[in-house]
Amino acid sequence: RPALALIDLGITRGDFDSALTIAKQLTSKYSDQAPLMIPLGRVYLAMGDRASAQQTLRNAARIAGYDAPLQVQIGRLLLAAVHPDGAAFCAQMALQAKPDDEAALALQAETETVRNDAARADAALKTLATKYPSGVAVALTSANIAMARGQYGAAATAYRQALNRQPSSATAISVVQAHMAAGEPGKAIAFLDGWLKGHAEDRTAL
């Protein structure tokens, strides 16, 4: 829809007033459609209005029901809005609909880590690794959990593993950040130099 493209453009350009106006109009017109509530939550997040983002996304999660992909999407945004309890609800709903869903298991593992429930986080990660041992999600989730626990060396290793499975600028940046957090600037610079030599077109990592 053109309105969604305009919202994305507004967020990208920092024109939050325009993006917010359009997102509110969408939400008002389609108040029973969770996918069209998500853009409003994204705008609030971009504006730094965490409370409004949380409220909007919680409403979207309630309406989304047992739509697993949609709940995962909302859950990720709720984690970004620092609402792990809301994200946990989304993961639970998604897993009730699809118990072996890869993205939902990853969300649950990371959410429980933020909630400081190590046992539930490790159980979700173990299930993810058992069901999808060679998937990129298990490597990224392991890395994210290691970062959250301050295990920066392990995080760098896991991010590199994820990068080997599915190259991406975002993961490459995460490798650099993990090495820096581990107090290894030399490794961070060496990795970045190697990445850019093989991906000269990638300006995101600069």
Side-chain angles (χ1 to χ4, degrees), residues 5-29:
L6 289 173
I7 293 170
D8 286 340
L9 183 62
I11 292 174
T12 301
R13 292 182 173 178
D15 185 1
F16 300 130
D17 288 340
S18 296
L20 183 61
T21 297
I22 297 169
K24 283 185 174 180
Q25 290 173 347
L26 269 183
T27 303
S28 176
K29 187 174 182 180

Side-chain angles (χ1 to χ4, degrees), residues 23 42 186:
R42 290 179 55 241

Side-chain angles (χ1 to χ4, degrees), residues 130-150:
T130 300
K131 298 288 185 182
Y132 307 97
S134 60
V136 66
V138 68
L140 280 175
T141 303
S142 297
N144 291 338
I145 290 175
M147 282 293 288
R149 293 175 175 173

Side-chain angles (χ1 to χ4, degrees), residues 117-193:
D117 191 333
R120 288 176 65 89
D122 290 343
L125 183 59
K126 182 178 179 180
T127 301
L128 182 64
T130 300
K131 298 288 185 182
Y132 307 97
S134 60
V136 66
V138 68
L140 280 175
T141 303
S142 297
N144 291 338
I145 290 175
M147 282 293 288
R149 293 175 175 173
Q151 300 165 348
Y152 304 122
T157 299
Y159 281 130
R160 285 175 180 264
Q161 185 180 52
L163 195 67
N164 289 335
R165 295 179 182 183
Q166 182 177 304
S168 78
S169 299
T171 305
I173 291 172
S174 293
V175 173
V176 173
Q177 292 172 335
H179 279 307
M180 293 299 291
E184 301 171 335
K187 288 185 179 181
I189 293 171
F191 168 80
L192 185 59
D193 285 344

